């Protein structure tokens, strides 16, 4: 009964045996198109034949929400790009032109700015789900890795996007972060000059950041397709961590998850709308409404909130190269997660001791974020170091050792049984 | 622990550790005022904002530009087309080159941006002992708690505390970071200007009026945005309820 | 009936379910369409461009025989103060002789026949004609040789139509508003 819980190959086999009943589409037009380009049948298979665990909770909505957020960013970004000018003399004013003169320009600009934050809210919630329910474990390693790549690309895109308005934070954030690369031994300085296209962050930098910022989201869309393909191969995880074994455990995506996803989208838009219409600048920094000035450094250079935890890790290390390595390391670490967590139980819901360390991890991550926007002085410094230590220790020490000490709760026999219990 | 416990703790923690002025050079938090443009139902106080334009014109524009605002934008706070044409024509605008290749000056049109006091930042610094009087188009968004900050700045000048070392050319100001500000108090006395609508121009009144004006200058879309916001949130909420009911209805099938 | 979803109860329930579902989808659809409208409108001329959609021109300095060129919506505008001779040349022409028949009276404002306002773009392929030249004493287009008369009408050459008269009005005797 529990064997397929621990054998990834068995799990894959069981999954591929499950076939849902569905009505064949009888349309001749559809059949004709499919015989030449099987796009319609592919969509229909995914929506109606592909099995999904019926006990998925709302934590499983965040993937599709992140997808919608990506589309919102692409749409709003496209229309902003029709009016924005990527030249240091004109960039700031072109954004104000959008805000004041372009019809609904203020709306599109705020959608894009607030949307970036909302995108990261969805991403972090999505990753949290993965961390808690063991979605990174075999056979979903590649799915997890592709996800981390999406996360990294999104961060790079957001970083470059923030430079474009050419405010004080745009300029100085770009200066601080690109300067990090000089920590690389031997080739560091060369790389930084090459990145800048000059001897400091200036027009060449702005121009290329605009081009790359425009391009990357489409690359991300492609990688998201890979992400969905990997998901298709293994099937979704679920709150019990117990894999799907038979038709009784599964339902079709349509109509159940189409409508549930719509509920999630509207809830997302409600949160989005609250910030967008009433507090659009609350997630940003006032200094970015001051045009970039290379002669005046702001009192506190702070990145956007979604970068703060990693910024805190960077500053926690007194050595420049060390800080860079620890900051990137914090994300690279995630790649090893499938090999660090070897508990026989996949889902955190059945691991009481794991739960405690996990909640602490989340609180610690938020605390790290708060430290990231605090000045790097006084007790904040030792706090950042301890916090960074726990972040690393959670992955490198806690997770590998937990199986030795934890008493896990008994797993449900099946997803079907779990669902019947819940309803 | 549920997510809302987490968020609540976070809120308490953040509030508890919010910095309070301890050192003698850190700025006091801004004086909190009630503004008509605040909140989800916020609107411009048009009469106040129009007076605020007069304060800007007669007091602030000697040193501060407003280059992102066009004269035609004044319609948003209730100036008529005739008034706008009149206001614009009182300014000189640089134009050209003409057929002789020279730049020339002409009187302003509604489509022009408001002419500032200086040609560029360097000229501004040179005329103000090296300090740059910032352009005020975005000042309320460019400062934390902008409206209250600007209000506190205008009304908060006072004598330096005992033993405070004031650099030459600067004024003591408890609401300015570092407590020394290059700008001498711009609002010096009650009745400093004569409002066109007859309101008596106390320092307090002028400060409030100019903040209302500057809020419009920074965020002219304020009213449109909040009105659209109420409608959109209402729509989304209704849609949310509909979808939730539909979802439960569809899922009744699942056993 | 071996998968996990079953069809339940009476078709009445199913109809209710369908109604709720379809209402929700319909409202969502309306919302989605409305959400696209601001994006669509953002491509329309922005407020600063619209502010320059009309211009006012001071014509007090123009003496008879003189012409002034101004830009309006990115196009050159010819404002000509015609001499009495030029007006007579324009009104004497019979409609039948015109390639694009149009009496001079239709191209000027009543009582202000000395003022001719045209868009200075040749109706052939878009070059800017030169004033005071050509057989008809109007304008001559150097690109392909189109000739316009003192009313800006095409008389000779490849251009098919007369020079376009933009919408304009006299605000007073010395100011015209174009657009």
């Amino acid at each position: 009964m529990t064997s397929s819980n621990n054998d990834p190959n068995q799990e894959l086999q069981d999954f591929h045996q499950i076939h849902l009943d569905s009505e064949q589409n009888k349309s001749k037009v559809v059949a004709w198109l499919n015989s030449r380009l099987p796009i319609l049948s592919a969509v229909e298979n995914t929506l109606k034949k592909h099995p999904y665990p019926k006990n998925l909770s709302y934590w499983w909505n965040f993937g599709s929400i992140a997808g919608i957020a990506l589309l919102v960013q692409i749409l709003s970004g496209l229309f902003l790009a029709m009016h924005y000018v990527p030249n240091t003399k004109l960039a700031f004013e072109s954004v104000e032109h959008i805000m004041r003169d372009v019809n609904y320009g203020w709306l599109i600009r705020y959608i894009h700015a607030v949307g970036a934050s909302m995108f990261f809210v969805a991403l972090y919630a999505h990753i949290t789900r993965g961390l808690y329910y063991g979605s990174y474990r075999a056979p979903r390693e590649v799915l997890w890795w592709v996800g981390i790549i999406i996360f990294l690309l999104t961060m790079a895109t957001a970083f470059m996007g923030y430079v474009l308005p050419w405010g004080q934070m745009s300029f100085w954030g770009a200066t601080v972060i690109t300067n990090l690369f000089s920590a690389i031994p031997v080739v560091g300085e060369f790389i930084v000059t090459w990145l800048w296209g000059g001897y400091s962050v200036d027009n060449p930098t702005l121009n290329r950041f605009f081009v790359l910022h425009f391009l990357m989201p489409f690359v991300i869309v492609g990688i998201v397709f890979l992400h969905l393909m990997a998901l298709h191969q293994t099937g979704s995880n679920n709150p019990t961590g117990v894999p799907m074994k038979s038709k009784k455990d599964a339902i079709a995506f349509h109509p159940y998850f189409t409508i549930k996803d719509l509920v999630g989208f509207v809830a997302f838009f409600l949160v989005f709308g609250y910030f967008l219409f009433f507090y659009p600048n609350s997630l940003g920094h006032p200094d970015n409404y001051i045009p970039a000035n290379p002669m005046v450094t702001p009192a506190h250079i702070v990145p956007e909130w979604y970068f703060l935890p990693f910024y805190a890790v960077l500053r926690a290390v007194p050595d420049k190269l060390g800080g860079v390595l620890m900051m990137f390391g914090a994300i690279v670490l995630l790649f090893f997660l499938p090999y660090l967590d070897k508990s026989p139980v996949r889902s955190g819901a059945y691991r009481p001791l794991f739960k405690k360390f996990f909640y602490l991890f989340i609180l610690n991550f938020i605390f790290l974020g708060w430290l990231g926007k605090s000045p790097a002085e006084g007790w904040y410094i030792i706090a950042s170091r301890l916090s960074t230590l726990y972040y690393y220790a959670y992955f490198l020490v806690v997770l590998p050792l937990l199986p030795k000490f934890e008493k896990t709760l008994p797993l449900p026999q099946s997803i079907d049984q779990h669902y019947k219990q819940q309803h | 622990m549920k997510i809302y416990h987490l968020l609540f703790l976070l809120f308490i923690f953040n509030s508890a550790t919010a910095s309070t002025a301890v050192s003698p050079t850190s700025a006091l938090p801004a004086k909190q005022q009630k503004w008509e443009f605040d909140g989800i139902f916020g609107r411009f106080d048009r009469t106040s904002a129009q007076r605020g334009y007069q304060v800007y014109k007669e007091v602030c524009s000697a040193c501060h530009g407003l280059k992102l605002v066009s004269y035609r934008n004044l319609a948003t706070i209730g100036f008529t087309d005739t008034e706008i044409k009149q206001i614009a024509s009182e300014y000189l605008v640089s134009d050209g080159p003409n057929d002789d290749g020279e730049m020339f000056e002409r009187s302003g049109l509604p489509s022009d941006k408001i002419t500032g006091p200086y040609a560029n930042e360097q000229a501004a610094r040179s005329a103000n002992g090296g300090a740059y009087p910032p352009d005020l188009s975005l000042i309320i968004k460019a400062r934390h708690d902008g409206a209250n900050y600007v209000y506190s700045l205008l009304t908060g000048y006072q004598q330096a505390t005992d033993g405070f070392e004031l650099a030459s050319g600067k004024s003591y100001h408890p609401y300015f970071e570092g407590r020394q500000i290059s700008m001498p108090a711009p609002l010096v006395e009650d009745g400093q200007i004569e409002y066109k609508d007859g309101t008596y121009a106390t320092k307090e009144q002028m400060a409030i009026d100019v903040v209302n004006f500057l809020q419009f200058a920074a965020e002219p879309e304020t009213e449109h945005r909040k009105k659209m916001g109420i409608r959109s949130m209402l729509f989304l909420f209704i849609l949310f309820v509909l979808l939730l009911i539909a979802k439960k209805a569809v899922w009744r099938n699942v056993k | 009936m071996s998968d996990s979803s079953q069809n339940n109860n009476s078709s009445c329930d199913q109809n209710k379910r369908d109604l709720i579902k379809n209402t929700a989808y319909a409202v969502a659809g309306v919302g989605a369409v409305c959400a696209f409208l601001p994006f669509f409108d953002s491509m329309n001329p922005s407020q600063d461009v619209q502010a320059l959609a009309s211009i006012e021109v001071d014509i007090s300095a123009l003496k008879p025989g003189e012409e002034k060129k101004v830009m309006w919506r990115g196009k050159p505008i010819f404002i000509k103060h015609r001499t009495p001779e030029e007006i007579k040349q324009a009104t004497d022409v019979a409609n039948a002789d015109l390639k694009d028949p149009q009496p001079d009276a239709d191209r000027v404002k009543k009582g202000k026949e000395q003022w001719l306002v045209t868009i200075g773009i040749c109706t052939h392929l878009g070059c800017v004609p030169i004033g005071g030249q050509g057989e008809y004493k109007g304008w001559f287009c150097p690109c392909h040789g189109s000739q316009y008369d003192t009313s800006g009408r095409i008389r000779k050459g490849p251009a098919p139509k007369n020079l376009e008269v933009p919408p304009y009005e006299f605000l007073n005797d010395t100011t015209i508003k174009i657009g």
Side-chain angles (χ1 to χ4, degrees):
Chain A
M1 198 67 71
T2 52
S3 60
S4 66
N5 285 356
N6 292 332
D7 179 3
N9 291 323
Q10 182 65 48
E11 187 178 325
L12 283 171
Q13 257 189 345
D14 287 347
F15 171 67
H16 287 299
Q17 309 282 40
I18 305 174
H19 297 293
L20 296 177
D21 306 321
S22 81
E23 285 166 27
Q24 259 314 81
N25 191 319
K26 293 191 185 59
S27 157
K28 285 213 177 77
V29 177
V30 170
W32 178 88
L33 183 60
N34 278 328
S35 62
R36 284 142 175 81
L37 174 69
I39 181 103
L40 291 177
S41 57
V43 169
E44 198 185 344
N45 277 337
T46 316
L47 286 181
K48 298 215 181 127
K49 286 227 181 83
H50 205 76
Y52 287 83
K54 64 183 179 184
N55 63 339
L56 297 183
S57 69
Y58 276 99
W59 280 103
W60 265 257
N61 276 59
F62 288 105
S64 59
I65 289 176
I68 284 290
L70 176 61
L71 292 179
V72 166
Q73 290 305 94
I74 290 177
L75 182 73
S76 56
L78 195 67
F79 281 85
L80 286 176
M82 293 187 188
H83 304 277
Y84 171 75
V85 182
N87 180 289
T88 51
K89 293 188 178 39
L90 298 168
F92 190 89
E93 267 188 46
S94 73
V95 174
E96 282 301 309
H97 164 70
I98 290 169
M99 293 294 289
R100 293 161 189 270
D101 287 327
V102 173
N103 303 318
Y104 293 99
W106 57 267
L107 180 64
I108 302 175
R109 193 274 175 105
Y110 279 148
I111 287 177
H112 202 68
V114 172
S117 282
M118 294 298 115
F119 193 173
F120 279 98
V121 168
L123 275 179
Y124 278 127
H126 184 66
I127 296 172
T128 303
R129 182 278 312 267
L131 290 174
Y132 183 74
Y133 290 106
S135 306
Y136 47 79
R137 301 194 26 173
R140 295 183 180 85
E141 306 96 318
V142 176
L143 173 66
W144 175 251
W145 292 337
V146 176
I148 302 174
I149 292 174
I150 294 174
F151 185 46
L152 283 167
L153 288 177
T154 307
M155 288 198 285
T157 309
F159 167 70
M160 291 189 293
Y162 194 65
V163 178
L164 303 182
W166 209 240
Q168 273 288 66
M169 276 310 166
S170 305
F171 178 84
W172 289 100
T175 301
V176 166
I177 298 301
T178 47
N179 259 316
L180 288 179
F181 288 91
S182 66
I184 300 172
V186 184
V187 289
E189 293 288 349
F190 173 78
I191 290 184
V192 176
T193 313
W194 175 78
L195 270 176
W196 284 341
Y199 303 107
S200 68
V201 170
D202 204 343
N203 204 48
T205 326
L206 178 61
N207 231 310
R208 64 189 56 176
F209 275 12
F210 175 62
V211 171
L212 293 173
H213 180 74
F214 199 115
L215 172 71
M216 297 276 264
F218 298 103
V219 173
I220 292 174
V221 169
I223 313 260
V224 165
F225 268 105
L226 292 179
H227 195 62
L228 292 175
M229 280 173 68
L231 177 67
H232 216 82
Q233 265 298 103
T234 60
S236 281
N237 189 15
N238 70 85
T240 63
V242 173
M244 288 181 278
K245 296 192 199 89
S246 75
K247 272 201 254 206
K248 288 202 289 185
D249 292 331
I251 48 175
F253 189 88
H254 183 70
Y256 304 103
F257 292 110
T258 34
I259 193 110
K260 193 172 182 188
D261 271 357
L262 274 176
V263 172
F265 294 159
V266 178
F268 174 67
F269 289 139
L270 275 165
V271 175
F272 196 145
Y274 172 79
F275 284 101
L276 169 67
F277 291 108
F278 305 116
Y279 301 101
N281 292 300
S282 58
L283 298 164
H285 200 290
D287 274 3
N288 228 31
Y289 279 105
I290 302 173
N293 187 345
M295 309 258 265
V296 176
T297 309
H300 301 291
I301 301 180
V302 203
E304 288 290 88
W305 68 267
Y306 37 82
F307 288 141
L308 289 175
F310 302 103
Y311 193 58
V313 170
L314 175 73
R315 296 191 307 177
V317 185
D319 175 58
K320 189 173 175 184
L321 181 60
V324 174
L325 291 174
M326 287 296 272
M327 178 179 76
F328 283 118
I331 302 178
V332 168
L333 200 48
L334 296 171
F335 279 97
F336 296 97
L337 205 44
Y339 306 103
L340 293 166
D341 179 7
K342 287 300 191 190
S343 163
V345 171
R346 175 182 279 146
S347 163
Y350 298 89
R351 306 174 61 189
L353 189 55
F354 164 90
K355 258 195 226 182
K356 292 186 171 42
F357 283 104
F358 179 77
Y359 284 136
L360 195 56
F361 175 81
I362 297 295
L363 275 172
N364 181 58
F365 191 70
I366 296 174
F367 182 54
L368 256 184
W370 182 83
L371 287 168
K373 72 174 170 113
S374 307
E377 46 192 49
W379 69 272
Y380 299 128
I381 300 184
I382 186 74
S384 307
R385 292 180 185 163
L386 289 172
S387 214
T388 305
L389 188 65
Y390 182 71
Y391 180 98
Y392 270 83
Y394 174 81
F395 294 105
L396 296 172
V397 178
V398 173
L399 287 184
L401 287 180
L402 264 175
K404 289 195 183 24
F405 298 103
E406 65 177 350
K407 262 201 191 48
T408 58
L409 300 176
L411 294 172
Q413 301 277 51
S414 65
I415 291 172
D416 185 35
Q417 190 199 57
H418 178 248
Y419 186 79
K420 288 179 159 63
Q421 268 169 14
Q422 305 279 53
H423 294 83
Chain B
M1 199 198 287
K2 302 272 189 304
I3 187 122
Y4 42 87
H5 292 150
L6 211 69
L7 292 170
F8 180 69
L9 270 178
L10 184 67
F11 173 72
I12 297 293
F13 181 72
N14 194 46
S15 314
T17 51
S19 62
T20 45
V22 206
S23 94
T25 54
S26 57
L28 293 174
K31 297 189 249 187
Q32 300 296 299
Q33 295 291 109
K34 279 210 176 350
W35 302 102
E36 208 170 303
F37 49 77
D38 267 341
I40 65 176
F41 298 107
R43 300 282 179 269
F44 291 126
D45 180 341
R46 279 169 173 63
T47 42
S48 173
Q50 288 187 32
R51 288 195 297 269
Y53 168 71
Q54 200 181 332
V55 176
Y56 166 74
K57 176 94 207 289
E58 297 186 26
V59 181
C60 322
S61 65
C63 306
H64 291 278
L66 204 68
K67 65 181 179 182
L68 296 174
V69 181
S70 301
Y71 300 107
R72 58 181 167 84
N73 295 136
L74 293 170
T76 309
I77 47 171
F79 284 102
T80 63
D81 280 348
T82 327
E83 286 171 323
I84 290 174
K85 256 197 203 164
Q86 174 61 31
I87 289 170
S89 65
E90 284 164 11
Y91 285 81
L92 283 175
V93 170
S94 180
D95 201 351
N98 57 21
D99 291 336
D100 295 323
E102 282 159 15
M103 303 300 285
F104 60 94
E105 292 200 320
R106 57 164 176 80
S107 67
L109 294 169
S111 53
D112 290 320
K113 297 257 197 296
I114 295 185
T115 312
Y118 304 111
N120 48 56
E121 186 182 322
Q122 288 83 340
R125 282 188 187 275
S126 154
N128 288 284
Y132 173 57
D135 184 282
L136 296 178
S137 313
L138 284 169
I139 200 75
I140 294 208
K141 285 208 280 191
R143 300 288 183 274
H144 175 70
D145 195 16
N148 290 320
Y149 175 78
V150 172
Y151 170 79
S152 305
L153 212 63
L154 293 174
T155 56
Y157 282 84
Q158 46 182 251
Q159 289 283 52
T161 53
D162 279 336
F164 188 90
E165 286 191 31
L166 201 55
S168 81
K170 299 226 191 268
S171 307
Y172 178 79
H173 203 305
Y175 293 95
F176 189 75
E177 192 55 42
R179 303 231 174 171
Q180 304 195 53
I181 190 171
S182 301
M183 171 171 77
L187 304 177
V188 281
E189 57 184 359
D190 293 345
Q192 186 171 334
I193 64 174
E194 263 181 52
Y195 278 134
K196 287 198 177 74
D197 70 356
T199 313
Y200 184 57
T202 59
K203 288 199 285 184
E204 171 80 7
Q205 185 67 50
M206 288 190 282
I208 296 210
D209 291 339
V210 86
V211 167
N212 274 319
F213 172 70
L214 290 176
Q215 167 64 25
F216 143 75
E219 298 189 274
E221 86 289 345
T222 303
E223 290 188 347
H224 192 185
R225 170 165 55 84
K226 294 187 180 193
K227 278 196 205 132
M228 193 189 279
I230 304 275
R231 269 180 246 146
S232 308
M233 297 299 275
L234 230 49
F235 170 82
L236 283 172
F237 184 71
I238 293 172
L239 180 60
F240 181 70
V241 171
L242 276 175
L243 279 171
L244 208 53
I245 296 174
K247 181 255 177 189
K248 287 190 197 297
V250 168
W251 276 75
R252 225 163 282 145
N253 265 344
V254 181
K255 294 282 167 241
Chain C
M1 206 51 70
S2 44
D3 75 7
S4 198
S5 61
Q6 305 163 30
N7 282 321
N8 249 346
N9 305 326
S10 57
S11 61
C12 189
D13 268 352
Q14 189 56 40
N15 284 343
K16 239 196 306 178
R17 235 171 271 158
D18 279 344
L19 177 66
I20 298 167
K21 198 178 55 153
N22 292 333
T23 313
Y25 281 145
V27 174
V30 166
V33 170
C34 287
F36 273 102
L37 295 176
F39 290 93
F40 192 78
D41 198 13
S42 73
M43 288 176 67
N44 275 328
S46 53
Q47 296 302 308
D48 54 332
V49 169
Q50 285 188 44
L52 292 173
S54 320
I55 58 166
E56 288 175 19
V57 187
D58 177 11
I59 52 176
S60 55
L62 276 181
K63 298 201 218 21
E66 285 183 349
E67 181 185 321
K68 184 171 174 156
K69 259 195 249 181
V70 295
M71 289 298 279
W72 172 75
R73 297 191 185 175
K75 302 180 246 243
I77 303 287
F78 298 153
I79 303 174
K80 181 88 198 269
H81 188 169
R82 303 192 294 184
T83 61
E85 275 164 12
E86 286 170 330
I87 300 173
K88 188 163 188 312
Q89 276 167 356
T91 50
D92 271 354
V93 180
N95 245 1
D97 292 337
L98 293 170
K99 194 173 180 187
D100 178 13
Q102 197 181 19
D104 183 66
D106 286 357
R107 295 173 57 76
V108 291
K109 301 280 183 216
K110 203 152 187 310
K112 302 247 189 265
E113 287 81 2
Q114 71 272 44
W115 294 105
L116 180 69
V117 181
T118 55
I119 298 182
I121 297 180
C122 182
T123 57
H124 179 227
L125 290 173
C127 295
V128 181
I130 306 170
Q133 291 193 13
E135 293 169 30
Y136 298 86
K137 310 278 197 301
W139 287 267
F140 171 73
C141 185
C143 290
H144 307 99
S146 295
Q147 314 239 18
Y148 298 87
D149 63 13
T150 52
S151 185
R153 293 174 299 203
I154 183 65
R155 301 299 294 273
K156 205 179 189 181
K161 295 216 148 290
N162 302 332
L163 291 180
E164 192 182 331
V165 177
Y168 73 96
E169 58 172 350
F170 278 87
L171 293 179
N172 52 53
D173 282 342
T174 54
T175 321
I176 54 172
K177 177 172 137 174
I178 309 179

